[in-house]
Amino acid sequence: MEPFLKKFFPEVYTKMNEDTKISNYCKFDSQLLTSFTSSLYIAGLVASFFASSVTRVFGRKPSILLGGAAFLAGSALGGAALNVYMLIFGRILLGIGVGFANQSVPLYLSEMAPPNYRGAINIGFQLCVGIGVLSANLINFGTEKIKAGWGWRISLAMAAVPASILTLGALFLPETPNSLIQNSKDPEKAKLMLQRVRGTNDVQAELDDLIIASSISKTIKHPFKNFLQRKYRPQLVMAIAIPFFQQVTGINVISFYAPVLFRTIGLGESASLLSSFMITGVLGTFSTFISMLIVDKFGRRALFMIGGIQMFLSQTLVGGLMAAQLGDYGGISKGYASLIIIFICTYVAGFAWSWGPLGWLVPSEIFPLEIRSAGQSITVAVGFLFTFMVAQTFLTMLCHLKSGIFFFFGGWVLVMSAFVYFLLPETKNMPIEKMNRVWREHWFWKRIVGEVNEDGKMEVP
């Protein structure tokens, strides 16, 4: 929004409106603007490691509560910001909230969900993120029209609404059976909770698996250090590779700077916000909902591959069109702009039913209990680290690579699709405390962690 840029980032505002000699791809290249965006992710990265200890020692519920409280404080500071320092500090508090929530909520969902519905229930997390994006873009579109120029304050302060729901709602959440066994000496509490969430009294087999997993976890004093052991090598690779790949899909090009892209191809302020709202909001949310319905039927790998092909083709076509039609100066014809928007829609749909939700689902279901909290923290931290790096460098990359930035991210989509095809086993319908079996039966990972013989016993490599 122009009043927001004028108040906090006047250099960008001046370049955007007054410097006619600057390239279309370089108008928004400002380290201060990207620092504002990226401060959230560095704060989230650091917070996720603190969240690991809270989640493991005190349970999943306290982490969710702390995340909600940080969200509330951050939204208040952002809405009341008088200078860029208040703005960035509020953003840092929001980052702490995201760090705690992203560490604890996917774990909570995966541990509470029955194996046959774990994919759908966990994708509910990403679906609600999509609804949040939709709501944020709708609020931005409305508040941008406030003539007095203070609409941005409403946009930032409205984060307090979902923060309040999260904080108050968490007060009424029960703790997961896994956490109850891990932190309590009374397995009867966990059994009652299992019976309650499974809707049956026949939970003894699952309870026995939880008790065994808990007894193993209590022998682990330093989960991050233990993560380096050979038997956890597949989980360590996935904890790093999946969030890294999720960030280099290029989705941040669309989600963080969609209005910037649409202004780059010649759309005005209001039109760019509406395009961003329609694409990243409505289409992304709908596609994630489709993923939620089919993930437990078709599996994780199929969605990863379909989404990867879709993203690669659409990014290549967008890059080619922008290279051919959009120079450093001037705009682009309405026809070609519409075509670019169609391909961006195709890209967003592909991401929203593959790497978007599955990038959270798969890591949350593959870790054994003894390293689960640490593993999720590594996943979140790696995600934040590369989100920060992409967000901090994107506008500079856009300025230098121009339309080539789409080919850059398209190349990464090819790499990650090959990674999934060769190295990620299918995890659908596998009970979370028996997930080690998928690695022992995989053509590559069984060489590292051992394999299961015909009697069901593990053979050490």
Side-chain angles (χ1 to χ4, degrees):
M1 298 182 195
E2 292 196 357
F4 178 79
L5 290 174
K6 194 173 182 179
K7 182 174 179 65
F8 296 109
F9 307 100
E11 175 195 349
V12 177
Y13 177 79
T14 302
K15 277 200 292 186
M16 188 175 71
N17 288 283
E18 298 172 15
D19 193 345
T20 57
K21 294 181 181 179
I22 196 163
S23 167
N24 276 318
Y25 294 99
C26 302
K27 288 181 180 179
F28 301 90
D29 184 12
S30 162
Q31 285 304 303
L32 186 60
L33 179 59
T34 48
S35 294
F36 164 67
T37 302
S38 302
S39 56
L40 184 150
Y41 305 102
I42 288 296
L45 189 159
V46 175
S48 65
F49 288 105
F50 288 100
S52 171
S53 298
V54 173
T55 304
R56 183 166 57 92
V57 176
F58 299 103
R60 286 58 170 150
K61 181 176 173 177
S63 267
I64 298 173
L65 281 167
L66 284 170
F71 276 130
L72 280 169
S75 58
L77 261 180
L82 301 175
N83 53 55
V84 75
Y85 302 106
M86 281 182 72
L87 196 68
I88 290 177
F89 187 54
R91 186 89 172 159
I92 288 170
L93 286 171
L94 289 175
I96 293 170
V98 175
F100 272 87
N102 280 3
Q103 201 279 338
S104 53
V105 174
L107 283 189
Y108 187 93
L109 295 173
S110 284
E111 290 182 346
M112 281 296 210
N116 292 348
Y117 299 102
R118 188 175 61 242
I121 289 172
N122 201 290
I123 286 178
F125 171 76
Q126 182 68 17
L127 177 67
C128 290
V129 171
I131 292 169
V133 171
L134 181 62
S135 304
N137 284 324
L138 185 58
I139 290 165
N140 285 344
F141 184 67
T143 57
E144 180 262 336
K145 298 185 179 303
I146 295 175
K147 301 294 184 187
W150 45 264
W152 60 268
R153 290 193 183 276
I154 296 176
S155 290
L156 294 177
M158 284 291 282
V161 176
S164 300
I165 295 169
L166 179 69
T167 310
L168 294 173
L171 293 172
F172 298 95
L173 287 177
E175 200 42 275
T176 71
N178 313 60
S179 186
L180 287 172
I181 283 185
Q182 197 173 23
N183 299 312
S184 169
K185 294 180 180 178
D186 183 10
E188 196 60 32
K189 287 183 181 178
K191 184 176 182 178
L192 290 172
M193 182 53 61
L194 264 181
Q195 290 173 338
R196 183 177 166 192
V197 297
R198 298 292 181 260
T200 177
N201 290 327
D202 185 17
V203 296
Q204 192 58 47
E206 186 175 358
L207 181 67
D208 291 341
D209 287 338
L210 291 180
I211 291 171
I212 292 168
S214 177
S215 64
I216 295 171
S217 74
K218 287 174 181 175
T219 65
I220 305 294
K221 301 299 180 187
H222 305 287
F224 286 103
K225 185 177 178 181
N226 279 76
F227 219 134
L228 299 175
Q229 291 180 15
R230 184 186 180 97
K231 64 179 177 179
Y232 301 129
R233 196 68 45 80
Q235 291 93 336
L236 178 61
V237 170
M238 297 301 159
I240 295 171
I242 289 177
F244 165 71
F245 285 138
Q246 189 185 44
Q247 297 313 316
V248 293
T249 53
I251 188 60
N252 295 325
V253 178
I254 307 300
S255 61
F256 292 164
Y257 301 109
V260 175
L261 278 174
F262 288 119
R263 295 196 74 164
T264 296
I265 61 175
L267 298 178
E269 181 180 4
S270 182
S272 70
L273 285 171
L274 180 59
S275 299
S276 174
F277 156 64
M278 291 299 293
I279 289 174
T280 61
V282 175
L283 183 60
T285 303
F286 176 75
S287 299
T288 303
F289 180 70
I290 297 297
S291 178
M292 189 171 76
L293 296 180
I294 64 177
V295 67
D296 289 310
K297 181 177 181 180
F298 294 103
R300 285 63 163 152
R301 283 168 53 85
L303 290 181
F304 269 130
M305 297 309 298
I306 293 167
I309 293 167
Q310 198 172 331
M311 289 190 292
F312 172 73
L313 292 176
S314 52
Q315 279 177 316
T316 303
L317 289 166
V318 169
L321 279 171
M322 289 186 73
Q325 299 297 324
L326 182 67
D328 282 347
Y329 307 102
I332 190 172
S333 72
K334 288 288 175 66
Y336 282 113
S338 301
L339 204 53
I340 286 172
I341 289 172
I342 289 169
F343 289 133
I344 287 178
C345 285
T346 307
Y347 169 85
V348 169
F351 177 84
W353 57 48
S354 63
W355 279 94
L358 300 181
W360 290 108
L361 166 60
V362 174
S364 73
E365 64 184 1
I366 62 173
F367 304 118
L369 184 61
E370 64 268 21
I371 58 163
R372 188 168 298 152
S373 185
Q376 185 68 10
S377 288
I378 291 172
T379 299
V380 173
V382 171
F384 278 133
L385 175 62
F386 286 102
T387 303
F388 166 76
M389 290 174 67
V390 170
Q392 196 68 25
T393 59
F394 166 68
L395 291 176
T396 302
M397 287 172 67
L398 180 64
C399 182
H400 289 88
L401 295 178
K402 300 182 171 64
S403 57
I405 196 167
F406 290 96
F407 298 109
F408 173 79
F409 287 118
W412 278 113
V413 172
L414 275 183
V415 172
M416 65 187 73
S417 298
F419 174 87
V420 167
Y421 184 80
F422 290 110
L423 294 176
L424 182 68
E426 184 54 69
T427 58
K428 72 170 183 176
N429 298 336
M430 179 65 71
I432 196 167
E433 299 304 347
K434 292 185 177 179
M435 195 61 72
N436 279 344
R437 191 178 186 94
V438 301
W439 310 110
R440 295 170 192 157
E441 294 175 348
H442 186 266
W443 73 271
F444 176 78
W445 295 116
K446 69 182 180 182
R447 304 174 190 177
I448 295 172
V449 300
E451 58 184 302
V452 178
N453 62 25
E454 294 179 358
D455 299 323
K457 295 179 180 178
M458 179 182 164
E459 295 178 351
V460 179

